[in-house]
Amino acid sequence: MTTNMISWWFDVVSNTTINAANFQAIKDHVGVFSRVHPCNENLLLDGNLTEWWGDSEFINSWNEPLQAFDSVKILPYLVDIDNSTMMHMVMENSTAFIKDAVAIAKEYSFDGWFIDYEDEYPPDSDPNSGNFAAFLSELGDALHDEGMELTVCVAAWTPLLSNYKTLAGSSVDELQQMSTYAMSNPADYEPFITDYFSKVGDLDKAGVGIGVYYDGGEYEQEWDENSARSFIQYVSKNGGTRLDIFRLLKDGAADWPKADWWWDVLEEFVHENID
C-alpha cells in the first residue's frame, strides 16, 4: 500500500536558536515530516566530500536531534551545485565519489542523500540527460544496497532537469519538482502537473514542490488556505503521493510556514483525506 509522504528542506546553521526552533516544529508536527533534507551551511557541497570528515562536531549537533525522530528519514544535501562543469567533474569521478558518499552516510546513520543540481552556469549539454541519469542510477543503486534512498530536484526551466521520463527511469527514489513552488493558479498547475505525472509514470517518484515562503511577507503571497488545499487536492486526486516543502525556517521573522493551517492541510494529505 502506497503511503503519502512529505519531504522538507531546511538549513542547519550556526545559530543554535534557529536550529532548536526548527527541531521543535518537527517534534510538534512530526506526522507531516516523512523526510528531511538538511543543508549544512558549514560545507561548500561542491562535490569535495572530504569536508564531511572535518565537520563532525557541527554535524552531530544537528544530526543527533534529528535521529531522535524515529519516523523521519534524514537525507541531507550531498551536493548543491549550479555549475555544470563542476558537476561533470563529480560524475567523471563517480566511483570514488559514490564510495565516499556511502561511507559518510553510514558513519552518520543517514537514510540517504539529496542532490540539488541546477545547471545554470553554464547550462548542461548532457544529451537527453543520459549521463546524469546514469550517475543517479550508479549512486542510487549503491545507496539501495545499504537500505538508503536518493532524491533529486527537477524543474521545467532547464532541458536537463525537465527530462522527467529519463530521470525517473534512473534508480532515484523521488524527483522533487521545483517549478510548482508558487503555482497557485489552477490554470497553471493543472496542465503542468498532469503533464509532469504522465512523463514520470511512477507517481511514487513524482514529488511536487510547494514554496511555503510565498506567504505575502518577504515574498509575494501565492498561497492561502483555499489555494493550498485546492492544489494539494489536485495532486492527490491525480494519484500524487509525494509533496516537497521549501522550506522550514522558524527564525521568529520569516517563520516558514507561518500560517497554522498549513499543518492541518498537510496532515490531511498524509492521511489521504484531503477534501
Side-chain angles (χ1 to χ4, degrees), residues 10-53:
F10 63 95
D11 294 335
V12 282
V13 297
S14 57
N15 186 320
T16 57
T17 301
I18 292 176
N19 290 342
N22 287 340
F23 300 151
Q24 186 63 49
I26 298 172
K27 181 178 180 179
D28 291 344
H29 306 282
V30 70
V32 301
F33 287 83
S34 310
R35 293 192 192 106
V36 291
H37 300 305
C39 183
N40 187 342
E41 74 158 11
N42 275 13
L43 306 184
L44 295 175
L45 302 174
D46 61 358
N48 177 10
L49 298 186
T50 58
E51 61 181 356
W52 282 90
W53 299 111

Side-chain angles (χ1 to χ4, degrees), residues 19 23 25 45-46 70-71 99 114 117 129 131 193-194 211 257 263:
N19 290 342
F23 300 151
L45 302 174
D46 61 358
D70 292 338
S71 62
K99 181 180 178 180
F114 163 64
Y117 171 41
S129 307
N131 294 334
I193 290 173
T194 298
W263 305 116

